[in-house]
Short mmCIF file of all heavy atoms in Angstrom, two decimals:
data_model
loop_
_atom_site.label_atom_id
_atom_site.label_comp_id
_atom_site.label_asym_id
_atom_site.label_seq_id
_atom_site.Cartn_x
_atom_site.Cartn_y
_atom_site.Cartn_z
N GLY S 1 0.79 -1.23 0.00
CA GLY S 1 0.00 0.00 0.00
C GLY S 1 0.81 1.26 0.00
O GLY S 1 0.30 2.34 0.29
N PHE S 2 2.09 1.18 -0.34
CA PHE S 2 2.96 2.36 -0.32
C PHE S 2 3.08 2.96 -1.70
O PHE S 2 3.30 2.26 -2.69
CB PHE S 2 4.34 1.97 0.21
CG PHE S 2 5.33 3.10 0.18
CD1 PHE S 2 5.19 4.19 1.02
CD2 PHE S 2 6.42 3.06 -0.68
CE1 PHE S 2 6.11 5.23 1.01
CE2 PHE S 2 7.34 4.09 -0.70
CZ PHE S 2 7.18 5.18 0.15
N THR S 3 2.95 4.27 -1.80
CA THR S 3 3.18 4.99 -3.05
C THR S 3 4.05 6.21 -2.75
O THR S 3 4.08 6.69 -1.61
CB THR S 3 1.88 5.47 -3.71
OG1 THR S 3 1.26 6.43 -2.86
CG2 THR S 3 0.94 4.31 -3.94
N PHE S 4 4.76 6.69 -3.75
CA PHE S 4 5.49 7.94 -3.57
C PHE S 4 5.45 8.76 -4.85
O PHE S 4 5.29 8.21 -5.95
CB PHE S 4 6.94 7.70 -3.11
CG PHE S 4 7.85 7.19 -4.20
CD1 PHE S 4 8.59 8.08 -4.96
CD2 PHE S 4 8.00 5.83 -4.44
CE1 PHE S 4 9.46 7.62 -5.95
CE2 PHE S 4 8.85 5.37 -5.44
CZ PHE S 4 9.58 6.25 -6.19
N GLU S 5 5.57 10.05 -4.68
CA GLU S 5 5.70 10.98 -5.79
C GLU S 5 7.03 11.71 -5.65
O GLU S 5 7.45 12.02 -4.53
CB GLU S 5 4.55 12.00 -5.79
CG GLU S 5 3.19 11.40 -5.99
CD GLU S 5 2.08 12.44 -5.95
OE1 GLU S 5 2.40 13.65 -6.06
OE2 GLU S 5 0.92 12.05 -5.81
N TYR S 6 7.65 11.98 -6.77
CA TYR S 6 8.98 12.61 -6.75
C TYR S 6 8.98 13.89 -7.58
O TYR S 6 8.46 13.91 -8.70
CB TYR S 6 10.04 11.66 -7.30
CG TYR S 6 11.36 12.35 -7.62
CD1 TYR S 6 12.12 12.92 -6.61
CD2 TYR S 6 11.80 12.47 -8.93
CE1 TYR S 6 13.30 13.58 -6.91
CE2 TYR S 6 12.98 13.12 -9.23
CZ TYR S 6 13.73 13.68 -8.21
OH TYR S 6 14.88 14.34 -8.51
N TYR S 7 9.58 14.93 -7.03
CA TYR S 7 9.73 16.20 -7.72
C TYR S 7 11.13 16.76 -7.48
O TYR S 7 11.70 16.59 -6.41
CB TYR S 7 8.72 17.25 -7.22
CG TYR S 7 7.28 16.87 -7.42
CD1 TYR S 7 6.61 16.10 -6.49
CD2 TYR S 7 6.59 17.29 -8.56
CE1 TYR S 7 5.29 15.75 -6.67
CE2 TYR S 7 5.26 16.94 -8.75
CZ TYR S 7 4.61 16.17 -7.81
OH TYR S 7 3.31 15.82 -8.00
N SER S 8 11.65 17.47 -8.48
CA SER S 8 12.85 18.28 -8.29
C SER S 8 12.46 19.74 -8.47
O SER S 8 11.75 20.09 -9.41
CB SER S 8 13.93 17.92 -9.30
OG SER S 8 14.94 18.92 -9.32
N LEU S 9 12.93 20.59 -7.55
CA LEU S 9 12.63 22.02 -7.64
C LEU S 9 13.54 22.76 -8.62
O LEU S 9 13.32 23.93 -8.92
CB LEU S 9 12.77 22.67 -6.26
CG LEU S 9 11.84 22.13 -5.16
CD1 LEU S 9 12.10 22.87 -3.85
CD2 LEU S 9 10.38 22.25 -5.56
N GLY S 10 14.59 22.09 -9.09
CA GLY S 10 15.52 22.76 -9.99
C GLY S 10 16.20 23.96 -9.36
O GLY S 10 16.64 24.87 -10.05
N ASN S 11 16.29 23.94 -8.02
CA ASN S 11 16.88 25.04 -7.25
C ASN S 11 16.12 26.36 -7.42
O ASN S 11 16.69 27.44 -7.26
CB ASN S 11 18.36 25.24 -7.59
CG ASN S 11 19.26 24.52 -6.60
OD1 ASN S 11 18.87 24.26 -5.46
ND2 ASN S 11 20.47 24.18 -7.02
N TYR S 12 14.82 26.27 -7.69
CA TYR S 12 13.95 27.45 -7.74
C TYR S 12 13.00 27.43 -6.55
O TYR S 12 12.19 26.51 -6.41
CB TYR S 12 13.13 27.47 -9.03
CG TYR S 12 13.89 27.81 -10.28
CD1 TYR S 12 14.31 26.82 -11.16
CD2 TYR S 12 14.18 29.14 -10.60
CE1 TYR S 12 15.00 27.13 -12.32
CE2 TYR S 12 14.87 29.46 -11.76
CZ TYR S 12 15.28 28.45 -12.62
OH TYR S 12 15.97 28.75 -13.77
N THR S 13 13.07 28.44 -5.70
CA THR S 13 12.13 28.50 -4.58
C THR S 13 10.71 28.71 -5.07
O THR S 13 9.75 28.25 -4.45
CB THR S 13 12.51 29.62 -3.60
OG1 THR S 13 12.58 30.86 -4.32
CG2 THR S 13 13.87 29.35 -2.96
N GLY S 14 10.56 29.38 -6.20
CA GLY S 14 9.23 29.59 -6.76
C GLY S 14 8.55 28.28 -7.13
O GLY S 14 7.32 28.18 -7.07
N ALA S 15 9.33 27.28 -7.52
CA ALA S 15 8.75 25.97 -7.84
C ALA S 15 8.11 25.34 -6.62
O ALA S 15 7.09 24.64 -6.73
CB ALA S 15 9.83 25.05 -8.42
N ALA S 16 8.69 25.59 -5.43
CA ALA S 16 8.09 25.07 -4.20
C ALA S 16 6.73 25.70 -3.95
O ALA S 16 5.77 25.01 -3.56
CB ALA S 16 9.02 25.34 -3.02
N LYS S 17 6.60 26.99 -4.19
CA LYS S 17 5.32 27.68 -3.99
C LYS S 17 4.27 27.17 -4.98
O LYS S 17 3.11 26.97 -4.62
CB LYS S 17 5.52 29.19 -4.13
CG LYS S 17 6.42 29.78 -3.06
CD LYS S 17 6.68 31.26 -3.28
CE LYS S 17 7.62 31.82 -2.21
NZ LYS S 17 7.94 33.26 -2.45
N ASN S 18 4.67 26.96 -6.23
CA ASN S 18 3.74 26.42 -7.22
C ASN S 18 3.31 25.01 -6.87
O ASN S 18 2.13 24.65 -7.00
CB ASN S 18 4.38 26.44 -8.61
CG ASN S 18 4.47 27.83 -9.18
OD1 ASN S 18 3.75 28.73 -8.76
ND2 ASN S 18 5.36 28.02 -10.14
N LEU S 19 4.29 24.20 -6.43
CA LEU S 19 3.98 22.83 -6.04
C LEU S 19 3.01 22.81 -4.88
O LEU S 19 2.08 22.00 -4.83
CB LEU S 19 5.28 22.10 -5.69
CG LEU S 19 5.17 20.63 -5.26
CD1 LEU S 19 4.53 19.80 -6.35
CD2 LEU S 19 6.55 20.08 -4.91
N TRP S 20 3.20 23.71 -3.93
CA TRP S 20 2.31 23.80 -2.77
C TRP S 20 0.88 24.14 -3.21
O TRP S 20 -0.07 23.48 -2.80
CB TRP S 20 2.83 24.86 -1.81
CG TRP S 20 1.95 25.11 -0.63
CD1 TRP S 20 1.05 26.13 -0.48
CD2 TRP S 20 1.86 24.33 0.55
NE1 TRP S 20 0.40 26.03 0.73
CE2 TRP S 20 0.89 24.93 1.38
CE3 TRP S 20 2.52 23.18 0.99
CZ2 TRP S 20 0.55 24.42 2.63
CZ3 TRP S 20 2.20 22.67 2.24
CH2 TRP S 20 1.22 23.28 3.04
N GLN S 21 0.76 25.14 -4.06
CA GLN S 21 -0.57 25.58 -4.48
C GLN S 21 -1.28 24.58 -5.37
O GLN S 21 -2.49 24.34 -5.22
CB GLN S 21 -0.46 26.93 -5.22
CG GLN S 21 -0.07 28.09 -4.34
CD GLN S 21 -1.13 28.43 -3.30
OE1 GLN S 21 -2.32 28.20 -3.51
NE2 GLN S 21 -0.69 28.95 -2.16
N HIS S 22 -0.55 23.98 -6.30
CA HIS S 22 -1.18 23.18 -7.34
C HIS S 22 -1.24 21.68 -7.02
O HIS S 22 -1.98 20.95 -7.68
CB HIS S 22 -0.47 23.38 -8.67
CG HIS S 22 -0.57 24.77 -9.18
ND1 HIS S 22 -1.74 25.32 -9.68
CD2 HIS S 22 0.36 25.76 -9.25
CE1 HIS S 22 -1.54 26.56 -10.05
NE2 HIS S 22 -0.28 26.87 -9.81
N ARG S 23 -0.48 21.25 -6.01
CA ARG S 23 -0.46 19.81 -5.74
C ARG S 23 -0.63 19.49 -4.26
O ARG S 23 -1.55 18.77 -3.87
CB ARG S 23 0.85 19.20 -6.26
CG ARG S 23 0.91 17.67 -6.14
CD ARG S 23 -0.08 17.02 -7.08
NE ARG S 23 -0.13 15.58 -6.90
CZ ARG S 23 -1.04 14.79 -7.45
NH1 ARG S 23 -1.96 15.31 -8.25
NH2 ARG S 23 -1.04 13.49 -7.25
N ILE S 24 0.25 20.01 -3.42
CA ILE S 24 0.29 19.56 -2.03
C ILE S 24 -0.99 19.91 -1.29
O ILE S 24 -1.50 19.11 -0.50
CB ILE S 24 1.52 20.15 -1.31
CG1 ILE S 24 2.81 19.67 -1.99
CG2 ILE S 24 1.53 19.76 0.16
CD1 ILE S 24 4.08 20.29 -1.44
N LYS S 25 -1.54 21.08 -1.53
CA LYS S 25 -2.76 21.49 -0.84
C LYS S 25 -3.98 20.67 -1.28
O LYS S 25 -5.00 20.64 -0.60
CB LYS S 25 -3.03 22.98 -1.09
CG LYS S 25 -2.07 23.90 -0.38
CD LYS S 25 -2.30 25.36 -0.73
CE LYS S 25 -3.62 25.86 -0.18
NZ LYS S 25 -3.78 27.33 -0.42
N LYS S 26 -3.85 19.97 -2.41
CA LYS S 26 -4.97 19.19 -2.95
C LYS S 26 -4.87 17.71 -2.66
O LYS S 26 -5.83 16.96 -2.90
CB LYS S 26 -5.05 19.41 -4.47
CG LYS S 26 -5.28 20.85 -4.88
CD LYS S 26 -5.28 20.99 -6.40
CE LYS S 26 -5.49 22.45 -6.82
NZ LYS S 26 -5.49 22.59 -8.29
N VAL S 27 -3.72 17.25 -2.18
CA VAL S 27 -3.49 15.82 -1.98
C VAL S 27 -3.06 15.58 -0.53
O VAL S 27 -2.28 16.35 0.02
CB VAL S 27 -2.39 15.30 -2.94
CG1 VAL S 27 -2.12 13.82 -2.68
CG2 VAL S 27 -2.80 15.52 -4.38
N LYS S 28 -3.56 14.52 0.07
CA LYS S 28 -3.18 14.17 1.44
C LYS S 28 -1.94 13.28 1.40
O LYS S 28 -1.99 12.15 0.94
CB LYS S 28 -4.34 13.45 2.15
CG LYS S 28 -3.96 12.85 3.49
CD LYS S 28 -3.50 13.90 4.50
CE LYS S 28 -3.17 13.26 5.84
NZ LYS S 28 -2.60 14.24 6.79
N TYR S 29 -0.82 13.81 1.90
CA TYR S 29 0.40 13.02 2.01
C TYR S 29 0.62 12.65 3.47
O TYR S 29 0.45 13.48 4.37
CB TYR S 29 1.60 13.82 1.50
CG TYR S 29 1.52 14.14 0.03
CD1 TYR S 29 1.17 15.43 -0.40
CD2 TYR S 29 1.78 13.18 -0.93
CE1 TYR S 29 1.08 15.73 -1.75
CE2 TYR S 29 1.69 13.46 -2.28
CZ TYR S 29 1.34 14.75 -2.69
OH TYR S 29 1.24 15.03 -4.03
N ASP S 30 1.04 11.41 3.69
CA ASP S 30 1.30 10.97 5.07
C ASP S 30 2.62 11.51 5.58
O ASP S 30 2.82 11.64 6.80
CB ASP S 30 1.29 9.44 5.12
CG ASP S 30 -0.07 8.88 4.75
OD1 ASP S 30 -1.00 9.01 5.56
OD2 ASP S 30 -0.21 8.33 3.64
N ALA S 31 3.56 11.79 4.68
CA ALA S 31 4.84 12.38 5.05
C ALA S 31 5.42 13.08 3.83
O ALA S 31 5.15 12.68 2.69
CB ALA S 31 5.82 11.32 5.57
N ILE S 32 6.22 14.11 4.07
CA ILE S 32 6.90 14.83 2.99
C ILE S 32 8.40 14.80 3.29
O ILE S 32 8.83 15.22 4.37
CB ILE S 32 6.39 16.27 2.87
CG1 ILE S 32 4.89 16.27 2.57
CG2 ILE S 32 7.16 17.01 1.77
CD1 ILE S 32 4.26 17.66 2.54
N PHE S 33 9.16 14.31 2.33
CA PHE S 33 10.62 14.21 2.46
C PHE S 33 11.27 15.33 1.67
O PHE S 33 11.10 15.41 0.45
CB PHE S 33 11.10 12.84 1.96
CG PHE S 33 12.59 12.68 1.98
CD1 PHE S 33 13.30 12.67 3.18
CD2 PHE S 33 13.31 12.51 0.80
CE1 PHE S 33 14.67 12.50 3.20
CE2 PHE S 33 14.68 12.33 0.81
CZ PHE S 33 15.36 12.34 2.02
N LEU S 34 11.99 16.20 2.36
CA LEU S 34 12.67 17.34 1.74
C LEU S 34 14.16 17.05 1.67
O LEU S 34 14.81 16.88 2.70
CB LEU S 34 12.42 18.61 2.55
CG LEU S 34 10.96 19.03 2.70
CD1 LEU S 34 10.85 20.24 3.62
CD2 LEU S 34 10.33 19.32 1.35
N ASN S 35 14.71 17.05 0.48
CA ASN S 35 16.08 16.61 0.25
C ASN S 35 16.93 17.77 -0.23
O ASN S 35 17.03 18.03 -1.43
CB ASN S 35 16.07 15.47 -0.78
CG ASN S 35 17.32 14.62 -0.75
OD1 ASN S 35 18.12 14.70 0.18
ND2 ASN S 35 17.48 13.78 -1.76
N GLY S 36 17.50 18.54 0.72
CA GLY S 36 18.36 19.66 0.35
C GLY S 36 18.00 20.94 1.08
O GLY S 36 16.85 21.16 1.49
N THR S 37 19.00 21.81 1.23
CA THR S 37 18.82 23.05 1.97
C THR S 37 17.77 23.96 1.35
O THR S 37 16.91 24.51 2.04
CB THR S 37 20.17 23.79 2.07
OG1 THR S 37 21.08 23.01 2.85
CG2 THR S 37 20.00 25.17 2.72
N LEU S 38 17.83 24.14 0.03
CA LEU S 38 16.88 25.04 -0.62
C LEU S 38 15.45 24.55 -0.43
O LEU S 38 14.54 25.35 -0.16
CB LEU S 38 17.22 25.19 -2.10
CG LEU S 38 16.35 26.18 -2.88
CD1 LEU S 38 17.18 27.01 -3.85
CD2 LEU S 38 15.24 25.44 -3.64
N ALA S 39 15.23 23.25 -0.56
CA ALA S 39 13.89 22.69 -0.38
C ALA S 39 13.37 22.94 1.03
O ALA S 39 12.22 23.32 1.24
CB ALA S 39 13.89 21.19 -0.70
N VAL S 40 14.23 22.73 2.02
CA VAL S 40 13.82 22.92 3.41
C VAL S 40 13.52 24.40 3.68
O VAL S 40 12.51 24.74 4.31
CB VAL S 40 14.90 22.39 4.37
CG1 VAL S 40 14.57 22.78 5.82
CG2 VAL S 40 15.02 20.88 4.25
N ALA S 41 14.39 25.28 3.22
CA ALA S 41 14.16 26.71 3.43
C ALA S 41 12.86 27.17 2.78
O ALA S 41 12.10 27.95 3.35
CB ALA S 41 15.34 27.51 2.89
N ALA S 42 12.58 26.67 1.58
CA ALA S 42 11.38 27.07 0.87
C ALA S 42 10.12 26.61 1.59
O ALA S 42 9.16 27.38 1.74
CB ALA S 42 11.40 26.51 -0.56
N PHE S 43 10.12 25.38 2.06
CA PHE S 43 8.91 24.87 2.70
C PHE S 43 8.79 25.31 4.16
O PHE S 43 7.69 25.31 4.71
CB PHE S 43 8.84 23.35 2.56
CG PHE S 43 8.33 22.94 1.21
CD1 PHE S 43 9.23 22.63 0.19
CD2 PHE S 43 6.98 22.92 0.94
CE1 PHE S 43 8.77 22.29 -1.07
CE2 PHE S 43 6.51 22.58 -0.32
CZ PHE S 43 7.40 22.27 -1.34
N LYS S 44 9.89 25.71 4.77
CA LYS S 44 9.77 26.34 6.09
C LYS S 44 8.98 27.64 5.97
O LYS S 44 8.13 27.95 6.80
CB LYS S 44 11.14 26.62 6.69
CG LYS S 44 11.08 27.32 8.06
CD LYS S 44 12.47 27.55 8.62
CE LYS S 44 12.39 28.17 10.02
NZ LYS S 44 12.02 29.60 9.97
#
């Protein structure tokens, strides 16, 4: 029953905001794995 989705931000903080608006707010994720400083800073 495990699934995962993978995205790369391409080192653009704006991509994190778009991903939040267009995907994350619409889908229930049990956990979000942030891989890298820029990703963590953007989602903080």
Side-chain angles (χ1 to χ4, degrees):
F2 176 68
T3 65
F4 74 92
E5 297 179 15
Y6 166 65
Y7 299 86
S8 165
L9 299 180
N11 264 335
Y12 286 101
T13 56
K17 296 176 182 177
N18 287 339
L19 181 59
W20 176 261
Q21 291 294 331
H22 296 289
R23 186 68 185 170
I24 298 175
K25 289 176 68 174
K26 299 177 181 180
V27 178
K28 171 61 179 175
Y29 296 103
D30 297 288
I32 300 175
F33 176 65
L34 300 176
N35 200 12
T37 295
L38 183 139
V40 172
F43 281 95
K44 179 179 183 285

